[in-house]
């Protein structure tokens, strides 16, 4: 084993082997993989090897497409077969809702170039004769599904990496990781120490243990997972290999395995494995079978596919594999640690392993993952994702793997966890809460406790009318919204404005003023949108997206402020309330001594004020597009502020409103938001944020690329759409059609109650957006639709 390397990848499962290969492919040859036993000795060896392209996050779906296309390449380089069987697959719908869901998946797949097809039950039975037609309502066909040999894939990556210059050492366990002052690591192993510039944790079942070696608790948990293989079936003899099949109602997946069928389940009563720590002596082992646990799924499976019930069980496999709370991988650099990277929590290594390896290698080599991987960025989790939180959410996610998640469905595990001081008061006002980073926040308010339930649906739900009433209250009088779930940072120090000016694309506002600003990476892409509120020459209050707090802090660390400037996250220290609507000024004026007139406190002002006895920061800005104020107070004052506003609000027609109404109103106004309209695949011009980029500044991160984008106009354009909708509104990721072709995608959608119109925001080619706008005006209101 070498004593110095550029990168030490820890873990020789499919993910570690893929990372190693991709590093060599990207030109880093001095790389080492350290494996405790033989390659595949974690969850990889006993995987069913299934692979598919469909994923709820289109950006993850793209990486899955990439993975499947990669197998030919690594077979060619290594000479090792991956045992690829592309059989095609069908997903069966047993209910109307599931068929709706499949139609949605098909529509979403369109702009990714996926050739998914909705087919009838009769067509499905022709493709997959083992099914009993009476249980199904329809199906979706995907030509690119199949399975691979897990051993073959891992060794094909490994051999390809070795051919590219990598070293692999087996039977060598990493027992410790020590950071060195220069940012490199001492990797302590059972065979001696290695000094590595970078370390990658691809420890799979032991990724938590490797994390603990460097003082972090990664939000992952292994679940036990079982599949069985039937005896040989006469129905398959002499036939072409059967398709892959997912039966959502049975919670099972099926594929052919030699002369029989392989059937696996994501059962409701899923059981975690090694909840706190993973034993080091677990090798190529299996767990005891527990068919009783999956009996309900098997029962449905045998009814839906009777021939399987006749075939007898030849073999049962019960093995553990890891999940993050939302079921997507954890990839990227860890904030607070230099040159420490993770590639773990990969629950579908044979669909995702290639994409994970590609993204991580680009990130390490080029400083950027090269694709929008927010959905699998390790920074999407914060300190709130504790071991017990992860346990509750992973169990929920596993048990719901084949369940429909409706657009208005709020999941219940690990709740309520974080609440603000007014939680009970909002409950008493019949609030329905959503969960955001473990924090409860009001989504809408029901007229009575009895009506305070969300009936889940793809169509307009029971909250529709109530959300409409909330929007109208904001439009006509005044609404009160809790806004504690925004991210906040305090920037202090003499050079804070200089540092912010370098980090952000817009200019830092004068004292007492607010500026909206995109944050760009070096490639000129959007990695954040912020509100800078300037309290003093050396003091700014920065408001952004709370879910991206760790992501932002990691960026701020990479572009560290100069000595004397501090950047402090303070999201939960300052909680907030917003009042919006034409009466909001009169309401607030009745509680403060400051003059709130337009002249004295115009739009985009920000000031420290006393509201009654409550010391607060007040900004004149509102995401609703109406006259409005955002009020920030330290947590101890929030109840008092709430009582003051609600009491004084009585004479002004104050009504509570929630996140759903806010979402509808910001879409009406065409205001984008992070992770929807603003993501690292778009530039500021494309996103319609050009006016918030101050090209008069001589330097800021991403300036050159943004200037180029301004010059060229960018490839895409964020556009607002009105939709001829019946009883369902867009939710995001639907395709945008133009002249019989899919030309773009929807990022957000809602019913705009103030304009009585179904609406959406989305991206289309820039040229088309301009041409179409012209068309719209000349055609006197002809609509584009999504
Ligand atoms: C029953 C079952 C069926 C499955 N079916 C499918 C399927 O059909 N399709 C699919 O895509 N996925 C499937 N999976 C999931 C798949 O197995 C995982 O996604 C994949 O194995 C994850 O690979 P990994 O490399 O992240 O982790 P692992 O395979 O766990 O690899 C981690 C490696 O790191 C090594 N290691 C850990 N710590 C150290 C250390 N300190 N020093 C040195 N080495 C270390 C381990 O020995 C191990 O080899 C299935 C899993 C199970 C259990």
């Amino acid at each position: 084993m070498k004593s110095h390397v550029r990168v030490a990848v820890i873990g020789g499962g499919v993910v570690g082997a893929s990372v190693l290969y991709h590093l060599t492919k990207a030109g880093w040859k001095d790389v080492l993989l350290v494996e405790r036993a033989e390659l595949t000795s974690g969850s990889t060896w006993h995987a069913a090897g299934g692979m598919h392209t469909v994923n709820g996050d289109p950006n993850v779906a793209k990486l899955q497409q990439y993975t499947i296309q990669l197998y030919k390449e690594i077979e060619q380089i290594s000479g090792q077969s991956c045992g690829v069987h592309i059989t095609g697959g069908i997903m069966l719908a047993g209910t109307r809702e599931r068929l709706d869901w499949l139609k949605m998946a098909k529509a979403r797949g369109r702009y990714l170039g996926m050739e998914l097809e909705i087919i009838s039950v009769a067509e499905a039975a022709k493709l997959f004769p083992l099914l009993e037609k009476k249980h199904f309502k329809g199906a979706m066909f995907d030509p690119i599904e199949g399975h691979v040999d897990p051993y073959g894939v891992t060794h094909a990556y490994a051999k390809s990496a070795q051919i590219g210059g990598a070293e692999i050492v087996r039977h060598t366990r990493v027992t410790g990781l020590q950071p060195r002052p220069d940012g490199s690591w001492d990797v302590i192993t059972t065979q001696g120490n290695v000094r590595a510039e970078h370390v990658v944790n691809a420890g799979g079942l032991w990724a938590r243990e490797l994390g603990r070696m460097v003082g972090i608790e990664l939000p992952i948990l292994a679940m036990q997972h079982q599949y069985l293989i039937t005896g040989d079936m006469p129905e398959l003899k002499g036939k072409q290999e059967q398709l892959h099949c997912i039966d959502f109602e049975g919670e099972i997946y099926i594929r052919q395995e030699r002369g029989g069928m392989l059937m696996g389940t994501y059962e409701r009563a899923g059981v975690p494995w090694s909840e706190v720590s993973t034993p080091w002596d677990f090798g190529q082992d299996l767990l005891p079978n527990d068919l009783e646990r999956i009996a309900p799924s098997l029962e449905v499976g045998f009814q839906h596919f009777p021939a399987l019930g006749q075939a007898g069980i030849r073999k049962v496999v019960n093995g553990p594999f890891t999940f993050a709370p939302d079921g997507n991988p954890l990839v990227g650099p860890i904030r607070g640690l230099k040159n420490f990277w993770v590639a773990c929590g990969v629950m579908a290594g044979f669909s995702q392993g290639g994409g994970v390896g590609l993204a991580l290698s680009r990130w390490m080599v080029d400083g950027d993952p090269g694709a929008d991987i927010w959905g699998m960025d390790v920074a999407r989790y914060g300190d709130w994702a504790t071991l017990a939180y992860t346990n509750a959410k992973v169990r929920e996610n596993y048990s719901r793997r084949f369940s429909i998640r409706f657009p208005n469905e709020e999941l219940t595990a690990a709740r309520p966890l974080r609440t603000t001081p007014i939680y009970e008061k909002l409950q008493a006002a019949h609030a329905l809460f959503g969960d955001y980073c473990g924090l409860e926040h009001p989504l809408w308010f029901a007229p009575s406790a009895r009506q305070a339930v969300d009936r889940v649906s793809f169509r307009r739900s029971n909250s529709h009318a109530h959300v409409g009433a909330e929007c109208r209250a904001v439009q006509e009088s005044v609404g009160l919204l809790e806004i504690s779930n925004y991210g906040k940072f305090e920037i202090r120090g003499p050079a804070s404005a200089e540092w912010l000016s370098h980090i952000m694309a817009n200019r830092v506002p004068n004292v007492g003023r607010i500026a909206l600003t995109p944050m760009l990476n070096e490639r000129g892409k959007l990695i954040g949108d912020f509100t800078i509120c300037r309290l003093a020459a050396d003091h700014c209050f920065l408001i952004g997206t709370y879910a991206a707090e760790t992501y932002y802090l990691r960026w701020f660390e990479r572009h560290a402020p100069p000595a004397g400037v501090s950047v402090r996250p303070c999201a939960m220290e300052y909680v907030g309330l917003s009042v919006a609507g034409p009466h909001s000024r009169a309401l607030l004026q009745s509680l403060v001594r400051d003059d709130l007139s337009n002249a004295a406190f115009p739009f985009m002002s920000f000031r420290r004020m006393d509201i009654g006895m409550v010391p607060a920061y007040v900004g004149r800005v509102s995401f609703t597009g109406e006259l409005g104020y955002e009020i920030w107070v330290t947590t101890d004052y929030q109840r008092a502020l709430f009582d003051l506003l609600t009491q004084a609000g009585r004479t002004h027609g104050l009504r509570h409103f929630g996140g759903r109404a806010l979402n509808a109103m910001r879409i009406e106004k065409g205001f984008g938001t992070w992770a929807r309209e603003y993501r690292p695949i778009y530039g500021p011009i494309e996103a319609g944020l050009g006016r918030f980029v101050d090209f008069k500044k001589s330097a800021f991160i991403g300036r050159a690329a943004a200037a180029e984008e301004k010059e060229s106009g960018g490839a895409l354009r964020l556009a607002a759409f009105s939709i001829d909708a019946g009883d369902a509104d867009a939710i995001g990721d639907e395709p945008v059609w133009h002249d019989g072709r899919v030309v773009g995608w929807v990022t957000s959608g809602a019913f705009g109650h103030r304009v009585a119109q179904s609406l959406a925001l989305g991206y289309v080619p820039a040229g088309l957006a301009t041409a179409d706008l012209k068309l719209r005006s000349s055609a006197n209101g002809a609509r584009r639709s999504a």
Side-chain angles (χ1 to χ4, degrees):
M1 188 166 66
K2 288 180 183 168
S3 58
H4 285 67
V5 288
R6 190 159 198 182
V7 184
V9 177
I10 308 169
V14 63
V15 174
S18 166
V19 170
L20 193 73
Y21 166 64
H22 281 93
L23 284 170
T24 59
K25 194 176 167 186
W28 283 16
K29 311 280 180 193
D30 182 18
V31 291
L32 167 75
L33 185 144
V34 188
E35 166 55 47
R36 175 189 76 98
E38 287 295 341
L39 297 182
T40 77
S41 292
S43 53
T44 297
W45 74 276
H46 52 234
M51 55 180 189
H52 47 89
T53 49
V54 174
N55 187 290
D57 180 333
N59 295 291
V60 178
K62 274 187 215 160
L63 292 175
Q64 294 188 182
Q65 281 178 323
Y66 166 79
T67 301
I68 294 172
Q69 285 156 9
L70 187 68
Y71 292 132
K72 261 200 203 105
E73 174 180 314
I74 55 173
E75 279 184 338
Q76 262 168 14
I77 297 174
S78 66
Q80 163 75 53
S81 164
C82 294
V84 181
H85 293 237
I86 302 280
T87 57
I90 51 170
M91 295 186 171
L92 294 167
T95 61
R96 180 169 168 243
E97 287 72 27
R98 176 58 68 181
L99 201 54
D100 277 352
W101 185 89
L102 288 178
K103 286 178 186 163
M104 181 179 79
K106 179 198 150 152
R108 286 178 168 181
R110 285 214 188 246
Y111 70 82
L112 297 174
M114 291 158 93
E115 291 180 9
L116 307 170
E117 219 183 300
I118 299 293
I119 56 175
S120 68
V121 180
E123 286 169 310
K126 263 197 211 143
L127 291 169
F128 194 74
L130 299 174
L131 65 82
E132 182 76 83
K133 286 194 273 193
K134 67 178 182 199
H135 299 294
F136 302 105
K137 302 250 181 283
M140 184 169 76
F141 174 68
D142 179 356
I144 309 185
E145 259 194 64
H147 57 98
V148 286
D149 164 24
Y151 174 94
V153 167
T154 311
H155 281 82
Y157 278 130
K159 281 186 192 157
S160 302
Q162 282 172 315
I163 290 166
E167 184 186 355
I168 296 179
V169 291
R170 297 169 167 84
H171 300 284
T172 303
R173 176 150 77 88
V174 172
T175 54
L177 291 161
Q178 300 288 343
R180 300 178 68 100
D182 66 355
S184 67
W185 292 85
D186 282 330
V187 181
I188 299 152
T189 83
T190 47
Q191 307 294 331
N193 297 358
V194 187
R195 188 151 155 206
E197 258 176 60
H198 298 265
V199 167
V200 177
N201 173 358
L205 292 174
W206 296 266
R208 273 182 317 186
E209 279 63 27
L210 285 165
R212 286 170 192 157
M213 287 178 196
V214 299
I216 57 170
E217 189 63 46
L218 287 165
I220 22 181
L221 175 71
M223 295 293 290
Q224 297 191 27
H225 182 67
Q226 299 184 81
Y227 63 79
L228 56 85
I229 298 172
T230 69
D232 286 354
M233 295 169 59
E235 292 84 351
L236 307 181
K237 221 167 182 175
K239 301 258 169 67
Q240 243 189 324
E241 187 174 9
Q242 291 291 312
L243 267 65
H244 268 231
C245 172
I246 292 179
D247 171 8
F248 293 100
E249 273 58 53
E251 291 159 344
I252 50 184
Y253 58 88
I254 308 172
R255 71 165 170 84
Q256 188 165 343
E257 174 71 18
R258 297 172 202 270
M261 295 297 286
L262 179 154
M263 177 154 112
T265 69
Y266 282 90
E267 67 280 9
R268 292 279 158 91
V271 171
W273 177 72
S274 291
E275 292 178 61
V276 178
S277 54
T278 310
W280 288 110
D281 60 0
F282 187 80
Q284 290 203 341
D285 299 312
L286 289 176
L287 306 172
N289 301 338
D290 184 0
L291 286 181
E292 214 164 286
R293 196 173 76 235
I294 61 170
S297 299
L298 296 185
E299 204 174 301
V300 180
F302 292 149
Q303 280 166 15
H304 290 187
F305 311 94
L308 269 73
Q310 314 295 316
I313 296 172
R314 181 153 53 90
K315 184 177 169 191
V316 179
V317 170
N318 184 11
F321 65 123
T322 55
F323 293 77
D326 60 5
N328 274 335
L330 297 178
V331 180
I334 296 284
R335 169 173 95 86
L337 296 176
K338 220 165 166 219
N339 300 339
F340 188 85
W341 308 78
V342 297
C344 54
V346 183
M347 63 77 53
F350 301 96
S351 303
Q352 299 174 337
V356 166
L358 175 73
L360 191 72
S361 64
R362 282 185 176 168
W363 213 334
M364 295 176 72
V365 173
D366 306 333
D368 187 286
D372 182 353
I373 62 137
W374 166 248
M376 55 186 198
D377 191 330
V378 61
R380 71 190 184 278
Y381 289 104
D383 294 345
W384 39 273
T386 57
L387 191 72
Y389 171 92
T390 302
N391 191 302
K393 289 310 264 187
V394 169
R395 283 169 189 249
E396 179 184 62
N397 185 274
Y398 182 93
S399 70
R400 291 182 49 94
R401 173 132 178 87
F402 285 157
S403 304
I404 295 171
R405 171 100 190 245
F406 290 92
N408 65 333
E409 184 169 9
E410 293 298 317
L411 302 183
T412 55
R415 297 180 61 192
L417 176 61
R418 311 171 71 193
T419 55
T420 60
I422 58 169
Y423 175 67
E424 279 83 11
K425 288 177 184 275
L426 295 173
Q427 251 180 343
H430 316 305
L432 270 285
F433 290 92
D435 160 26
Y436 186 71
C437 306
L439 178 71
E440 299 294 322
H441 67 107
L443 293 174
W444 63 280
F445 291 81
S448 69
R450 197 178 49 77
Q451 288 164 282
V453 286
D454 251 331
R455 281 201 284 282
V456 295
S457 171
F458 282 112
R459 291 155 211 279
R460 286 179 196 140
S461 75
N462 60 312
S463 71
H464 183 76
H466 307 300
V467 170
E470 290 173 18
C471 293
R472 281 186 294 279
V474 173
Q475 183 181 20
E476 288 158 15
S477 56
V478 53
L480 176 67
L481 171 77
E482 169 157 45
I483 51 170
S484 303
N485 58 340
Y486 292 11
K488 288 136 249 160
F489 301 88
E490 243 179 340
I491 324 285
R492 284 179 188 269
S496 21
E498 283 80 352
W499 178 72
L500 273 172
S501 180
H502 169 65
I503 288 279
M504 303 293 174
N506 204 353
R507 78 183 175 82
V508 177
N510 293 333
V511 173
R513 301 290 296 159
I514 292 172
L516 305 179
T517 178
M519 182 164 80
L520 307 178
N521 61 17
E522 287 89 351
R523 295 185 306 128
K525 299 295 181 194
L526 287 170
I527 55 165
D529 69 308
F530 289 92
T531 307
I532 308 176
C533 312
R534 184 108 182 241
L535 278 155
D538 60 355
H539 185 190
C540 285
F541 192 66
L542 195 61
I543 302 166
T545 305
Y546 184 41
E549 183 180 271
T550 308
Y551 175 90
Y552 295 148
L553 285 170
R554 194 176 60 193
W555 186 257
F556 296 161
E557 225 169 63
R558 190 160 140 190
H559 300 279
V565 174
S566 65
V567 180
R568 199 175 62 84
C570 55
M572 287 303 109
E573 227 168 281
Y574 288 96
V575 287
L577 290 169
S578 168
V579 285
H583 299 177
S584 58
R585 188 188 340 246
L587 163 61
L588 198 57
Q589 187 66 79
S590 70
L591 299 168
V592 301
R593 274 174 288 111
D594 304 65
D595 178 2
L596 295 185
S597 68
N598 241 344
F601 197 64
F603 182 54
M604 303 295 268
S605 298
F606 193 80
R607 198 180 298 162
R608 162 77 181 74
M609 287 182 197
D610 284 347
I611 304 178
M613 289 186 283
V614 176
Y617 292 147
V618 179
R620 204 193 121 188
V621 67
S622 172
F623 209 32
T624 63
E626 303 285 347
L627 170 72
Y629 303 84
E630 289 182 351
I631 307 167
W632 305 103
V633 294
T634 52
T635 312
D636 45 346
Y637 287 107
Q638 196 197 23
R639 288 171 72 94
L641 176 65
F642 179 86
D643 288 343
L644 262 180
L645 290 170
T646 45
Q647 272 158 31
R650 278 189 202 128
T651 51
H652 298 278
L654 181 86
R655 180 179 178 135
H656 292 294
F657 71 106
R660 287 202 189 141
L662 183 69
N663 190 47
M665 289 188 276
R666 65 113 190 147
I667 291 171
E668 277 175 342
K669 297 299 290 183
F671 297 157
T673 190
W674 172 250
R676 289 279 182 185
E677 287 71 36
Y678 308 148
R679 297 185 70 123
I681 40 177
Y682 309 122
I685 310 297
E686 292 177 323
L689 296 176
R691 68 188 188 283
F692 300 116
V693 179
D694 180 15
F695 287 106
K696 284 191 228 101
K697 290 198 296 186
S698 60
F700 59 88
I701 298 170
R703 188 187 188 286
E708 257 174 48
E709 195 201 337
K710 191 177 174 206
E711 183 71 28
S712 72
L716 301 171
R717 190 69 78 248
L718 181 65
F721 303 89
S722 57
I723 303 180
D724 292 328
D727 62 349
D729 301 303
I731 50 177
D733 294 326
E734 294 86 352
V736 178
W737 292 80
H738 180 77
D739 277 351
R741 259 181 340 116
V742 173
V743 294
W745 54 92
V746 167
T747 47
S748 304
F751 188 80
H753 291 273
R754 289 178 298 190
V755 293
Q757 174 64 54
S758 188
L759 301 169
L761 299 176
Y763 281 90
V764 292
L768 193 60
T770 322
D772 231 10
L773 282 175
K774 276 188 202 139
L775 181 73
R776 181 148 73 150
S777 49
S778 61
N780 202 13
R783 281 183 192 150
R784 282 173 293 165
S785 59

